[in-house]
Amino acid sequence: MKITRISLWHVPLTAHVTYAMAAGKTCATVETVLLALDTDEDRTGWGEVCPIPHYLPAYARGVAPALQEMAPILLGADPVGPEAVMARLERHLQGHVYAKSAIDIALWDLTGQTAGLPLHALLGGRQAETMPLYHSITCIAPEEMVRIALEAQGQGITQFQVKLGADADWQADVARLRMVREAVGPGPLVYGDWNCGATSLEATRVGRAVRDLDVMLEQPCATIDDCARVRAATGLPMKLDESAHDTATLLEGHAKGCMDVVAVKLSKFGGLSAARRARDLCYHLGARMCIEDTWGSDITTAALLHLGAATMPERVTNVCDLSGYVAPRLAPAGPIRDNGRIAPPSGAGLGVAPDREALGPPDMILD
Protein backbone atom coordinates (compact mmCIF):
# COMPACT_ATOMS: atom_id res chain seq x y z
CA MET A 1 0.00 0.00 0.00
CA LYS A 2 1.23 3.48 -0.87
CA ILE A 3 0.06 7.02 -0.09
CA THR A 4 -1.06 8.59 -3.36
CA ARG A 5 -2.72 11.86 -2.35
CA ILE A 6 -2.69 14.32 0.56
CA SER A 7 -5.70 16.60 1.01
CA LEU A 8 -6.14 19.39 3.55
CA TRP A 9 -9.11 21.44 4.76
CA HIS A 10 -9.37 24.44 7.11
CA VAL A 11 -12.61 24.29 9.11
CA PRO A 12 -13.74 26.94 11.64
CA LEU A 13 -14.91 25.46 14.94
CA THR A 14 -17.02 27.62 17.24
CA ALA A 15 -16.87 26.93 20.97
CA HIS A 16 -20.18 26.61 22.81
CA VAL A 17 -19.04 29.56 24.96
CA THR A 18 -16.14 31.96 24.56
CA TYR A 19 -13.39 30.65 26.81
CA ALA A 20 -11.65 33.38 28.80
CA MET A 21 -8.24 32.48 30.15
CA ALA A 22 -5.37 34.25 31.89
CA ALA A 23 -3.23 36.88 30.17
CA GLY A 24 -6.03 37.89 27.81
CA LYS A 25 -6.20 34.56 26.00
CA THR A 26 -9.58 33.61 24.56
CA CYS A 27 -10.96 30.71 22.59
CA ALA A 28 -14.10 31.41 20.59
CA THR A 29 -13.91 30.43 16.91
CA VAL A 30 -10.72 28.52 16.09
CA GLU A 31 -9.61 27.00 12.81
CA THR A 32 -8.98 23.28 12.77
CA VAL A 33 -6.98 21.54 10.06
CA LEU A 34 -8.25 18.23 8.67
CA LEU A 35 -5.90 15.98 6.75
CA ALA A 36 -6.71 13.00 4.50
CA LEU A 37 -4.09 10.51 3.29
CA ASP A 38 -5.48 8.55 0.35
CA THR A 39 -3.87 5.28 -0.78
CA ASP A 40 -3.72 3.06 -3.83
CA GLU A 41 -5.88 0.52 -1.96
CA ASP A 42 -8.84 2.92 -1.64
CA ARG A 43 -8.26 3.48 2.06
CA THR A 44 -8.17 6.94 3.61
CA GLY A 45 -6.52 7.88 6.86
CA TRP A 46 -7.72 10.99 8.68
CA GLY A 47 -5.80 13.36 10.91
CA GLU A 48 -6.57 16.64 12.66
CA VAL A 49 -4.76 19.40 14.48
CA CYS A 50 -6.30 22.54 15.96
CA PRO A 51 -3.87 25.03 17.52
CA ILE A 52 -5.26 27.72 19.82
CA PRO A 53 -3.83 31.18 19.09
CA HIS A 54 -1.33 32.47 21.68
CA TYR A 55 -1.26 29.10 23.44
CA LEU A 56 1.76 27.23 22.03
CA PRO A 57 4.22 27.86 19.14
CA ALA A 58 1.73 26.55 16.58
CA TYR A 59 -0.79 28.03 14.17
CA ALA A 60 -3.34 26.49 11.84
CA ARG A 61 -2.08 28.15 8.65
CA GLY A 62 1.40 26.79 9.35
CA VAL A 63 0.32 23.21 8.68
CA ALA A 64 -0.04 23.52 4.90
CA PRO A 65 3.50 24.83 4.17
CA ALA A 66 5.00 22.25 6.55
CA LEU A 67 3.01 19.57 4.75
CA GLN A 68 4.28 20.77 1.38
CA GLU A 69 7.82 20.37 2.69
CA MET A 70 7.11 16.84 3.92
CA ALA A 71 5.06 15.68 0.92
CA PRO A 72 8.01 14.15 -0.99
CA ILE A 73 8.59 11.79 1.95
CA LEU A 74 4.91 10.94 2.42
CA LEU A 75 3.84 10.41 -1.18
CA GLY A 76 4.67 6.87 -2.21
CA ALA A 77 5.35 5.80 1.39
CA ASP A 78 3.80 2.69 2.94
CA PRO A 79 1.72 4.10 5.84
CA VAL A 80 1.74 0.88 7.87
CA GLY A 81 4.11 1.36 10.77
CA PRO A 82 3.63 5.07 11.60
CA GLU A 83 6.75 5.45 13.73
CA ALA A 84 9.03 4.48 10.85
CA VAL A 85 7.41 7.07 8.58
CA MET A 86 7.54 9.72 11.31
CA ALA A 87 11.25 9.04 11.84
CA ARG A 88 11.89 9.74 8.15
CA LEU A 89 9.84 12.94 8.38
CA GLU A 90 11.82 14.09 11.40
CA ARG A 91 15.10 13.58 9.54
CA HIS A 92 13.69 15.58 6.62
CA LEU A 93 12.11 18.41 8.65
CA GLN A 94 12.98 18.80 12.31
CA GLY A 95 10.38 20.16 14.72
CA HIS A 96 6.97 21.43 13.58
CA VAL A 97 5.41 18.82 15.85
CA TYR A 98 1.89 20.24 15.61
CA ALA A 99 1.85 19.75 11.82
CA LYS A 100 3.30 16.25 12.22
CA SER A 101 0.59 15.37 14.76
CA ALA A 102 -2.14 15.35 12.10
CA ILE A 103 0.01 13.22 9.81
CA ASP A 104 0.81 10.74 12.56
CA ILE A 105 -2.86 10.31 13.48
CA ALA A 106 -3.74 9.65 9.83
CA LEU A 107 -0.94 7.08 9.54
CA TRP A 108 -2.23 5.27 12.62
CA ASP A 109 -5.75 5.35 11.17
CA LEU A 110 -4.51 3.64 8.00
CA THR A 111 -2.48 1.11 9.98
CA GLY A 112 -5.51 0.19 12.08
CA GLN A 113 -7.72 -0.12 9.01
CA THR A 114 -5.16 -2.38 7.34
CA ALA A 115 -4.91 -4.58 10.44
CA GLY A 116 -8.69 -4.58 10.86
CA LEU A 117 -8.24 -3.43 14.47
CA PRO A 118 -9.24 -0.36 16.50
CA LEU A 119 -6.29 1.83 17.41
CA HIS A 120 -6.40 1.02 21.12
CA ALA A 121 -5.53 -2.58 20.21
CA LEU A 122 -2.34 -1.32 18.52
CA LEU A 123 -1.45 1.22 21.22
CA GLY A 124 -1.06 -1.34 24.00
CA GLY A 125 -4.42 -3.10 24.19
CA ARG A 126 -7.67 -1.94 25.72
CA GLN A 127 -7.44 -1.44 29.47
CA ALA A 128 -10.58 0.64 30.04
CA GLU A 129 -14.06 0.41 28.56
CA THR A 130 -14.82 4.03 29.41
CA MET A 131 -12.82 6.91 30.85
CA PRO A 132 -13.67 9.88 33.09
CA LEU A 133 -14.11 13.33 31.59
CA TYR A 134 -13.44 16.74 33.06
CA HIS A 135 -15.39 19.89 32.32
CA SER A 136 -13.49 23.10 31.59
CA ILE A 137 -15.12 26.23 33.03
CA THR A 138 -14.39 29.58 31.41
CA CYS A 139 -12.98 32.31 33.68
CA ILE A 140 -15.99 34.52 34.44
CA ALA A 141 -17.74 35.65 37.63
CA PRO A 142 -17.42 33.04 40.41
CA GLU A 143 -21.18 32.66 40.75
CA GLU A 144 -21.54 31.86 37.03
CA MET A 145 -18.71 29.36 37.23
CA VAL A 146 -20.57 27.62 40.07
CA ARG A 147 -23.68 27.44 37.90
CA ILE A 148 -21.71 25.83 35.06
CA ALA A 149 -20.06 23.38 37.46
CA LEU A 150 -23.37 22.29 38.94
CA GLU A 151 -24.90 21.88 35.49
CA ALA A 152 -22.00 19.65 34.43
CA GLN A 153 -22.17 17.73 37.69
CA GLY A 154 -25.83 17.02 36.96
CA GLN A 155 -24.65 15.35 33.74
CA GLY A 156 -22.32 13.02 35.62
CA ILE A 157 -19.09 15.05 35.53
CA THR A 158 -16.86 14.62 38.60
CA GLN A 159 -13.80 16.64 37.52
CA PHE A 160 -13.75 20.39 37.06
CA GLN A 161 -11.06 22.61 35.54
CA VAL A 162 -11.57 26.15 36.80
CA LYS A 163 -9.94 28.74 34.53
CA LEU A 164 -8.19 31.51 36.49
CA GLY A 165 -6.50 34.83 35.91
CA ALA A 166 -8.66 36.47 33.24
CA ASP A 167 -9.20 39.62 35.32
CA ALA A 168 -5.78 39.74 37.04
CA ASP A 169 -7.51 39.70 40.44
CA TRP A 170 -5.98 37.04 42.66
CA GLN A 171 -8.73 37.38 45.25
CA ALA A 172 -11.37 36.69 42.57
CA ASP A 173 -9.42 33.56 41.68
CA VAL A 174 -9.55 32.50 45.33
CA ALA A 175 -13.33 32.94 45.22
CA ARG A 176 -13.57 30.92 42.00
CA LEU A 177 -11.73 27.95 43.46
CA ARG A 178 -13.40 28.12 46.85
CA MET A 179 -16.94 28.51 45.55
CA VAL A 180 -16.69 25.76 42.93
CA ARG A 181 -15.01 23.42 45.42
CA GLU A 182 -17.76 23.98 47.99
CA ALA A 183 -20.55 23.78 45.40
CA VAL A 184 -19.64 20.37 43.98
CA GLY A 185 -19.02 18.91 47.44
CA PRO A 186 -16.31 16.54 48.67
CA GLY A 187 -14.96 13.91 46.31
CA PRO A 188 -14.89 15.50 42.84
CA LEU A 189 -11.55 16.76 41.51
CA VAL A 190 -11.28 20.55 41.25
CA TYR A 191 -8.25 22.30 39.81
CA GLY A 192 -7.44 25.87 38.87
CA ASP A 193 -5.69 26.55 35.56
CA TRP A 194 -3.81 29.76 34.74
CA ASN A 195 -2.47 28.63 31.32
CA CYS A 196 0.94 30.15 32.18
CA GLY A 197 -0.69 33.51 32.92
CA ALA A 198 0.36 34.11 36.54
CA THR A 199 3.56 35.15 38.24
CA SER A 200 4.82 32.93 41.02
CA LEU A 201 3.78 35.64 43.50
CA GLU A 202 0.16 35.78 42.29
CA ALA A 203 -0.19 32.01 42.10
CA THR A 204 1.36 31.56 45.54
CA ARG A 205 -1.06 34.07 47.08
CA VAL A 206 -4.00 32.18 45.57
CA GLY A 207 -2.61 28.79 46.56
CA ARG A 208 -1.94 29.77 50.15
CA ALA A 209 -5.44 31.22 50.45
CA VAL A 210 -7.04 27.92 49.40
CA ARG A 211 -4.63 25.36 50.80
CA ASP A 212 -7.24 24.30 53.35
CA LEU A 213 -9.23 22.97 50.37
CA ASP A 214 -8.90 19.79 48.33
CA VAL A 215 -7.78 21.48 45.10
CA MET A 216 -4.99 21.14 42.55
CA LEU A 217 -3.19 23.89 40.63
CA GLU A 218 -2.45 23.73 36.91
CA GLN A 219 0.40 25.46 35.05
CA PRO A 220 0.35 28.77 36.90
CA CYS A 221 3.58 30.06 35.33
CA ALA A 222 5.35 29.76 32.00
CA THR A 223 8.43 27.96 33.31
CA ILE A 224 8.87 24.72 35.18
CA ASP A 225 11.14 26.52 37.68
CA ASP A 226 8.38 28.97 38.62
CA CYS A 227 5.75 26.22 38.76
CA ALA A 228 8.03 24.29 41.11
CA ARG A 229 8.40 27.41 43.27
CA VAL A 230 4.59 27.67 43.56
CA ARG A 231 4.27 23.94 44.29
CA ALA A 232 6.79 24.21 47.13
CA ALA A 233 5.30 27.43 48.56
CA THR A 234 1.68 26.23 48.61
CA GLY A 235 2.00 22.49 49.23
CA LEU A 236 -0.78 21.90 46.71
CA PRO A 237 -0.50 19.21 43.99
CA MET A 238 0.19 20.48 40.50
CA LYS A 239 -0.58 19.60 36.92
CA LEU A 240 1.80 20.66 34.16
CA ASP A 241 0.51 21.41 30.68
CA GLU A 242 2.18 23.87 28.33
CA SER A 243 5.69 23.47 29.71
CA ALA A 244 5.70 19.64 29.49
CA HIS A 245 5.90 18.69 25.83
CA ASP A 246 8.77 16.24 25.28
CA THR A 247 11.03 13.78 27.11
CA ALA A 248 13.33 16.48 28.48
CA THR A 249 10.53 18.58 29.97
CA LEU A 250 8.77 15.55 31.45
CA LEU A 251 12.00 14.57 33.18
CA GLU A 252 12.54 18.15 34.35
CA GLY A 253 9.02 18.49 35.77
CA HIS A 254 9.43 15.24 37.63
CA ALA A 255 12.89 16.13 38.95
CA LYS A 256 11.67 19.49 40.24
CA GLY A 257 8.69 17.96 42.01
CA CYS A 258 5.87 19.83 40.30
CA MET A 259 4.43 17.17 37.98
CA ASP A 260 1.87 15.27 40.03
CA VAL A 261 -0.28 15.21 36.87
CA VAL A 262 0.65 16.08 33.29
CA ALA A 263 -1.40 16.90 30.20
CA VAL A 264 -0.40 14.51 27.41
CA LYS A 265 -1.79 16.43 24.45
CA LEU A 266 -1.32 14.86 21.04
CA SER A 267 -0.37 17.97 19.07
CA LYS A 268 1.93 19.20 21.83
CA PHE A 269 4.09 16.07 21.56
CA GLY A 270 3.64 15.40 17.83
CA GLY A 271 0.85 12.83 17.48
CA LEU A 272 -0.05 9.40 18.79
CA SER A 273 3.44 7.94 18.34
CA ALA A 274 5.13 10.58 20.50
CA ALA A 275 2.24 10.73 22.98
CA ARG A 276 2.48 6.96 23.48
CA ARG A 277 6.17 7.33 24.29
CA ALA A 278 5.31 10.11 26.74
CA ARG A 279 2.70 7.88 28.35
CA ASP A 280 5.22 5.10 28.83
CA LEU A 281 7.73 7.50 30.39
CA CYS A 282 5.02 8.76 32.75
CA TYR A 283 4.48 5.16 33.86
CA HIS A 284 8.13 5.13 34.94
CA LEU A 285 8.00 8.58 36.55
CA GLY A 286 4.80 7.83 38.48
CA ALA A 287 2.86 10.77 37.06
CA ARG A 288 -0.85 10.63 36.39
CA MET A 289 -2.01 11.83 32.98
CA CYS A 290 -4.75 13.86 31.38
CA ILE A 291 -4.83 12.42 27.86
CA GLU A 292 -6.22 15.04 25.51
CA ASP A 293 -5.33 17.55 22.80
CA THR A 294 -5.16 21.31 22.48
CA TRP A 295 -8.50 21.74 20.68
CA GLY A 296 -10.35 20.16 17.79
CA SER A 297 -13.29 17.99 16.80
CA ASP A 298 -14.09 14.33 16.20
CA ILE A 299 -10.87 13.09 14.59
CA THR A 300 -8.46 14.19 17.30
CA THR A 301 -11.02 13.32 19.98
CA ALA A 302 -11.22 9.75 18.64
CA ALA A 303 -7.43 9.50 18.54
CA LEU A 304 -6.91 10.61 22.14
CA LEU A 305 -9.69 8.32 23.36
CA HIS A 306 -7.99 5.31 21.79
CA LEU A 307 -4.75 6.22 23.57
CA GLY A 308 -6.64 6.75 26.82
CA ALA A 309 -8.36 3.38 26.56
CA ALA A 310 -4.97 1.71 26.07
CA THR A 311 -3.51 3.31 29.20
CA MET A 312 -3.56 1.96 32.77
CA PRO A 313 -6.80 3.33 34.28
CA GLU A 314 -5.05 4.09 37.57
CA ARG A 315 -2.78 6.50 35.68
CA VAL A 316 -5.52 8.26 33.72
CA THR A 317 -6.87 11.24 35.61
CA ASN A 318 -9.19 12.14 32.73
CA VAL A 319 -9.64 12.47 28.99
CA CYS A 320 -11.46 15.19 27.03
CA ASP A 321 -14.33 15.13 24.56
CA LEU A 322 -13.11 18.15 22.58
CA SER A 323 -15.76 17.61 19.92
CA GLY A 324 -18.42 18.11 22.58
CA TYR A 325 -17.27 21.70 23.09
CA VAL A 326 -17.48 22.86 19.47
CA ALA A 327 -19.68 23.11 16.42
CA PRO A 328 -19.94 21.76 13.84
CA ARG A 329 -19.32 18.11 14.57
CA LEU A 330 -17.22 16.77 11.70
CA ALA A 331 -17.97 13.05 11.97
CA PRO A 332 -21.63 11.95 12.24
CA ALA A 333 -20.70 8.93 14.38
CA GLY A 334 -18.24 10.73 16.63
CA PRO A 335 -18.01 9.80 20.33
CA ILE A 336 -20.22 11.55 22.87
CA ARG A 337 -20.11 11.76 26.66
CA ASP A 338 -22.36 9.51 28.71
CA ASN A 339 -22.88 10.28 32.39
CA GLY A 340 -19.47 11.91 32.75
CA ARG A 341 -17.55 9.21 30.90
CA ILE A 342 -16.70 8.41 27.30
CA ALA A 343 -15.52 5.46 25.18
CA PRO A 344 -13.44 5.35 22.01
CA PRO A 345 -15.23 4.62 18.75
CA SER A 346 -15.56 1.03 17.62
CA GLY A 347 -14.37 -0.14 14.22
CA ALA A 348 -10.98 -0.38 12.60
CA GLY A 349 -8.51 2.47 12.88
CA LEU A 350 -9.95 5.62 14.41
CA GLY A 351 -13.45 4.29 13.86
CA VAL A 352 -14.69 7.68 12.61
CA ALA A 353 -14.41 9.66 9.39
CA PRO A 354 -15.76 13.04 8.30
CA ASP A 355 -18.42 13.46 5.65
CA ARG A 356 -16.16 14.33 2.72
CA GLU A 357 -18.97 15.83 0.68
CA ALA A 358 -19.94 18.09 3.55
CA LEU A 359 -16.36 19.30 3.84
CA GLY A 360 -16.39 20.48 0.24
CA PRO A 361 -13.32 20.82 -1.99
CA PRO A 362 -9.97 20.64 -0.19
CA ASP A 363 -7.96 23.82 0.32
CA MET A 364 -4.85 21.96 -0.81
CA ILE A 365 -4.15 18.73 -2.69
CA LEU A 366 -0.69 17.21 -3.03
CA ASP A 367 -0.23 14.19 -5.29
Side-chain angles (χ1 to χ4, degrees), residues 141-155:
E143 296 80 6
E144 278 299 292
M145 296 177 80
V146 166
R147 180 189 62 78
I148 294 169
L150 291 175
E151 183 178 276
Q153 189 176 37
Q155 297 169 0

Side-chain angles (χ1 to χ4, degrees), residues 3 36 70-71 98 106 113 131 140 143 145 152 222 266 270 272 275 292 334 358:
I3 298 170
M70 292 183 281
Y98 67 99
Q113 291 177 42
M131 295 150 288
I140 50 179
E143 296 80 6
M145 296 177 80
L266 303 186
L272 281 167
E292 47 185 333

Side-chain angles (χ1 to χ4, degrees), residues 221-277:
C221 310
T223 68
I224 291 177
D225 279 337
D226 278 346
C227 288
R229 189 173 292 112
V230 174
R231 174 70 170 85
T234 63
L236 291 172
M238 185 167 291
K239 173 187 171 186
L240 290 184
D241 181 3
E242 290 93 332
S243 65
H245 51 80
D246 58 13
T247 298
T249 49
L250 289 173
L251 290 171
E252 183 185 359
H254 172 72
K256 292 179 177 174
C258 58
M259 196 175 75
D260 302 287
V261 182
V262 62
V264 177
K265 292 183 174 176
L266 303 186
S267 61
K268 188 174 65 171
F269 285 87
L272 281 167
S273 297
R276 180 173 68 164
R277 293 193 294 270

